[in-house]
Amino acid sequence: MKTPSNLIRPLVHNLHAYVPGEQPKIKGLIKLNTNENPYPPAPRVLAAVKAAVDGRLRLYPNPTAQGLREKLAKLHGCRPENIFVGNGSDEVLALAVRAFAEPSKGLSAIFGKQADRSKSVVQYFVPSYSLYPVLADIHGAVKNPVMLKFDFALPSPAELKRGRQWDFNAALSLVTTPNAPSGCGYRTAALAELCRAQKRGVVLLDEAYADFAAENALALALKFPNVLVARTFSKAYSLCFQRVGYCVGQAELVAALDKIRDSYNVNGLGQIAAEATLDELDYYRANFQKIITTREWLGRELTALDFRVLPSQTNFILARPPLFPAEDWLAKLRGQKILVRWFRAPELKDFLRITVGTPAEAAALVAAARKILHA
Ligand SMILES: *Cc1c(COP(=O)(O)O)cnc(C)c1O
């Protein structure tokens, strides 16, 4: 029968799509739900984008984001061949799943009866970025979610071995570091231990929030043969709208991603904005400091109101609110025109994830919380 629904692959038909945070257009709403940067791009970045908007929009952009890759290579002390640029780091993640994990249906066809299930395994810690399971499902890979420790700490390789759930041969391991949505920072030494313990497969360290952390693991991408480090211009560099992310790693891994991407995967204005951003790093570093200062202030204020605030190395905090269930707090804060994020998952349902905004936005959140508590 030619009904539309049976024209769709069963895998796609049954898929649960990723649920992004809301982007409502309500006047006066303070938006602290999707970890966007509260500060605008540097004036010269805006000027560069505006100057590029003319008749040239009819032309295709550079297909390999060459200029941007050269600048990033200089920044990270590697070669352009070590850099892959994507349409946001979300695209980098999606391509990594496709490049390194075998769809489980195809496994026995390719490798026969002895097929090694690990070749299909995409594994990640729980909680972490909720896009990972969706990407694995889209590809028909095998998901292996592994719980983090108490307060979202990273298990050591020895603990992972004892737990018997982590697959040391998994085709792809996705590690959000610092962790989202907990904000928990991981030591580079601990991540190196994990990468070293992995016998086969690629480890992708998703460093979307690294600029707000005390240390980062970028050096591991150039040191290990099986490690990619993904970064994005979205959060720290105020460019969510432009969709530019990248990863760093061995040239062979980068070349594999390059083979399977769309021909013009990174839009031209995005390339221009990202390149201009790299000329203004002092502006952004000052913003990181402002956000970190506000984050620490917000943590202290909410703690004084009996929230249990987890230490954060990111531009958001995870906090367990007092008195009412977190889901009710979401609604009550919305009533005060403040939007935060709440996740239904059992390990997160008692918490709110709150993006660190400007000092004024953070103060408004604290004032609203006080009002809710004393109503
Ligand atoms: C926001 C985020 C991304 C995606 O960033 P884009 O570059 O905007 O696609 C990737 N990973 C994590 C953990 C994020 O929070």
Side-chain angles (χ1 to χ4, degrees):
M1 269 224 294
K2 274 194 276 184
T3 64
S5 79
N6 64 24
L7 300 175
I8 298 164
R9 292 172 59 206
L11 182 147
V12 177
H13 186 79
N14 298 326
L15 196 69
H16 293 283
Y18 177 70
V19 184
E22 271 183 90
Q23 296 289 5
K25 286 272 167 295
I26 302 167
K27 248 192 104 191
L29 187 83
I30 297 179
K31 200 175 165 301
L32 304 176
N33 68 328
T34 49
N35 300 341
E36 288 142 321
N37 199 303
Y39 302 108
R44 286 202 186 115
V45 172
L46 294 177
V49 173
K50 284 180 189 156
V53 178
D54 58 26
R56 285 171 294 171
L57 288 186
R58 72 188 178 79
L59 300 172
Y60 281 109
N62 184 292
T64 60
Q66 184 65 23
L68 178 56
R69 283 170 46 247
E70 282 169 10
K71 279 194 156 167
L72 286 168
K74 199 166 275 173
L75 177 69
H76 294 309
C78 60
R79 291 176 302 130
E81 292 75 22
N82 298 114
I83 310 273
F84 177 84
V85 183
N87 181 34
S89 58
D90 282 354
E91 190 198 19
V92 178
L93 298 170
L95 291 176
V97 170
R98 285 190 234 158
F100 307 123
E102 208 60 67
S104 62
K105 282 256 167 61
L107 254 194
S108 51
I110 298 171
F111 297 102
K113 281 223 164 60
Q114 312 313 323
D116 174 2
R117 184 176 172 279
S118 294
K119 287 191 194 317
S120 283
V121 170
V122 173
Q123 70 185 347
Y124 45 85
F125 290 107
V126 176
S128 68
Y129 190 23
S130 53
L131 178 67
Y132 303 153
V134 178
L135 294 176
D137 284 341
I138 290 171
H139 189 58
V142 177
K143 289 173 291 189
N144 188 31
V146 177
M147 286 304 273
L148 289 165
K149 295 203 298 180
F150 178 72
D151 272 1
F152 313 108
L154 189 70
S156 69
E159 287 167 327
L160 289 172
K161 264 176 212 149
R162 253 179 274 135
R164 291 160 154 271
Q165 160 108 64
W166 186 261
D167 183 346
F168 288 90
N169 294 299
L172 181 62
S173 307
L174 299 167
V175 183
T176 317
T177 173
N179 180 255
S182 75
C184 187
Y186 300 140
R187 303 301 308 267
T188 301
L191 294 164
E193 245 197 287
L194 180 70
C195 294
R196 201 171 294 118
Q198 205 62 25
K199 291 199 211 88
R200 271 192 274 160
V202 171
V203 181
L204 187 149
L205 304 174
D206 181 354
E207 288 200 327
Y209 302 99
D211 293 292
F212 305 104
E215 50 179 332
N216 69 71
L218 196 113
L220 302 186
L222 301 165
K223 183 167 159 192
F224 288 99
N226 63 328
V227 176
L228 293 171
V229 172
R231 295 277 181 90
T232 174
F233 283 90
S234 293
K235 314 297 186 9
Y237 300 93
S238 306
L239 280 182
C240 290
F241 200 77
Q242 292 280 18
R243 313 299 307 125
V244 187
Y246 64 98
C247 71
V248 182
Q250 299 295 327
E252 289 84 350
L253 298 181
V254 167
L257 298 174
D258 210 42
K259 262 188 183 169
I260 61 171
R261 67 175 172 81
D262 287 342
S263 335
Y264 301 99
N265 63 325
V266 188
N267 77 88
L269 295 178
Q271 292 184 37
I272 283 168
E275 280 194 52
T277 295
L278 296 177
D279 293 332
E280 303 294 324
L281 290 181
D282 288 346
Y283 168 88
Y284 293 96
R285 286 176 183 142
N287 288 348
F288 305 157
Q289 272 320 309
K290 280 194 257 181
I291 288 167
I292 290 167
T293 303
T294 309
R295 176 183 80 199
E296 300 306 306
W297 179 86
L298 180 60
R300 286 194 299 275
E301 292 291 316
L302 291 178
T303 302
L305 294 178
D306 276 344
F307 282 65
R308 188 165 99 82
V309 177
L310 298 182
S312 169
Q313 298 266 310
T314 61
N315 68 340
F316 57 84
I317 59 174
L318 193 71
R320 195 183 64 204
L323 211 54
F324 313 108
E327 188 179 11
D328 294 356
W329 271 96
L330 177 74
K332 286 174 193 284
L333 285 169
R334 203 187 170 101
Q336 307 280 327
K337 288 196 152 187
I338 297 181
L339 189 54
V340 299
R341 190 96 188 254
W342 176 74
F343 297 93
R344 189 174 294 278
E347 64 279 2
L348 293 169
K349 67 169 183 30
D350 295 332
F351 294 89
L352 296 173
R353 194 195 67 187
I354 305 166
T355 304
V356 177
T358 60
E361 289 171 331
L365 175 83
V366 170
R370 204 172 274 132
K371 204 161 150 194
I372 289 164
L373 283 169
H374 299 135

